[in-house]
Amino acid sequence: MREETRNVALVAGGAGFIGSHMCRSLVERGQEVICLDNLQTARPSNLRGLEDLPGFTFVEADVVNPLPAAVTRQAHRISRVYNLACAASPPQYQADPEHTMLTNVVGTHHLLRLAEQVGARFLLTSTSEVYGDPEIHPQREDYRGSVSCTGPRACYDEGKRAAEALAFDYARLNRAEVRVARIFNTYGPNMHPDDGRVVSNLICQALSGSDITIYGDGTQTRSFCYVSDMVDGLIGLMESDIDGLEPVNLGNPVELTVNDLLDRILAIVGTDARVVHKPLPQDDPRRRRPDISRATAVLGWQPNVPVDHGLARTAEWFAAEIGAVAPLRRPVAAE
């Protein structure tokens, strides 16, 4: 078979937040895309405009189950397998913890087997949650983490750690060419308004004029990467020639407290909503910031979208999506 006929990327979880941006970016780069998603946490509206593009196919299916015929009959044409399948926000992945674990382990196994059978390159989107509530800062890829294996977040944290183990075993045994990305907090358009993540929570609450919820005292930190930067990093990693036995952190090394994040959002959204403090969720990390030295050295990658610009774009998208009550103080066009 001629190599040029193998130009199909399978994107599992392709209707989700990052996945939908990934699908669009790949199609725009001239790659055919099969988007596989069970729509459990993804929004069908994320595919708006994608389904009409030549080279894009949507297949509704769950990676926990054997891959459907709509995928397997085109398997010989697949050269890239992106595994983005799994609920990523705590309320969503804790709602069905068994399915979350099975998605990470059984789903990853199904996709690795496909990659092995057809000789496709495989990329796993792992997570900064493999570091747990970290004892070193910032987090490097060689840090083994401080993860609770019995708490309510374990279905996701330990599921991703198990998925990494599977992927690296396939790589060590030369069964598949593997890439593993550890994704840190990502935000942007196509986030679910009710997914429980801090950026979507604060922006949607500010736009709707409802109480703004801060968990704990707001001094806990996160590092926020705009979705276009993340997609560029993932595609760059997939297409790189790096040793597949090393994970790569992808995220924005600019560290913000949640209070600082809220101040930046309130500079964009005009609201008089009051701030309400609630207890921190169990096992919620106190600090989170990636060391992206490896990504910069081997991929030449680093985020380009400043946080304030990304937040303004995200707020504008949410304002149109949810029908905002509060006005935007600083439209994107003004930046």
Side-chain angles (χ1 to χ4, degrees):
M1 178 178 299
R2 293 180 305 167
E3 184 64 27
E4 61 265 24
T5 66
R6 296 191 61 206
N7 191 38
V8 176
L10 175 65
V11 182
F17 161 46
I18 298 177
S20 57
H21 288 275
M22 172 68 74
C23 289
R24 181 172 293 279
S25 182
L26 290 171
V27 170
E28 289 174 350
R29 293 167 189 243
Q31 191 149 30
E32 293 183 55
V33 171
I34 300 173
C35 169
L36 179 69
D37 204 298
N38 66 356
L39 301 181
Q40 182 183 43
T41 57
R43 306 172 71 216
S45 60
N46 286 351
L47 300 178
R48 189 181 302 135
L50 267 173
E51 292 183 296
D52 296 328
L53 295 178
F56 178 84
T57 303
F58 173 66
V59 177
E60 185 173 352
D62 194 323
V63 293
V64 168
N65 302 319
L67 296 176
V71 171
T72 57
R73 65 171 172 254
Q74 297 193 67
H76 63 282
R77 301 185 61 234
I78 294 173
S79 62
R80 299 289 186 265
V81 177
Y82 289 88
N83 183 8
L84 289 81
C86 190
S89 73
Q92 290 179 340
Y93 67 64
Q94 291 173 21
D96 191 346
E98 177 185 13
H99 188 266
T100 297
M101 179 64 78
L102 292 174
T103 299
N104 282 315
V105 180
V106 177
T108 295
H109 185 236
H110 285 151
L111 294 169
L112 278 166
R113 287 291 303 275
L114 174 69
E116 177 186 24
Q117 290 164 5
V118 302
R121 186 176 290 179
F122 173 90
L123 184 143
L124 172 68
T125 54
S126 186
T127 173
S128 60
E129 298 298 331
V130 301
Y131 301 123
D133 192 2
E135 298 162 328
I136 69 164
H137 195 76
Q139 292 76 57
R140 301 186 308 269
E141 290 91 345
D142 59 1
Y143 174 52
R144 295 184 178 183
S146 177
V147 176
S148 168
C149 61
T150 59
R153 301 170 73 102
C155 59
Y156 184 73
D157 301 1
E158 296 286 36
K160 287 292 190 181
R161 285 158 71 97
E164 284 196 17
L166 271 172
F168 289 131
D169 281 337
Y170 266 69
R172 269 188 290 270
L173 295 170
N174 294 316
R175 295 178 61 182
E177 194 177 354
V178 163
R179 306 287 184 267
V180 173
R182 290 177 177 167
I183 293 178
F184 283 67
N185 292 68
T186 307
Y187 71 100
N190 291 8
M191 296 183 79
H192 198 297
D194 300 319
D195 70 1
R197 299 187 227 200
V198 63
V199 171
S200 51
N201 272 1
L202 296 182
I203 289 179
C204 290
Q205 288 169 348
L207 287 169
S208 65
S210 57
D211 289 349
I212 296 174
T213 305
I214 296 289
Y215 293 95
D217 60 7
T219 59
Q220 67 271 29
T221 68
R222 297 293 185 269
S223 302
F224 301 99
C225 185
Y226 192 67
V227 65
S228 62
D229 284 332
M230 181 58 65
V231 167
D232 286 345
L234 290 170
I235 295 175
L237 177 58
M238 175 66 96
E239 299 305 323
S240 72
D241 293 325
I242 70 166
D243 182 350
L245 289 173
E246 299 286 351
V248 177
N249 286 339
L250 294 177
N252 191 335
V254 177
E255 183 180 9
L256 302 176
T257 67
V258 173
N259 288 331
D260 187 11
L261 174 67
L262 177 59
D263 288 343
R264 290 166 184 255
I265 290 171
L266 294 181
I268 297 168
V269 181
T271 181
D272 296 321
R274 65 173 185 155
V275 177
V276 175
H277 288 264
K278 293 185 178 181
L280 274 176
Q282 183 179 340
D283 299 328
D284 194 61
R286 292 291 307 177
R287 300 189 74 183
R288 185 62 58 74
R289 177 163 69 96
D291 181 325
I292 62 168
S293 301
R294 179 175 293 169
T296 301
V298 302
L299 305 179
W301 178 87
Q302 58 184 4
N304 292 314
V305 178
V307 173
D308 288 335
H309 291 196
L311 289 173
R313 294 176 191 172
T314 306
E316 184 176 69
W317 182 84
F318 271 123
E321 191 73 8
I322 68 174
V325 173
L328 295 179
R329 301 181 193 271
R330 202 171 72 228
V332 174
E335 302 198 2

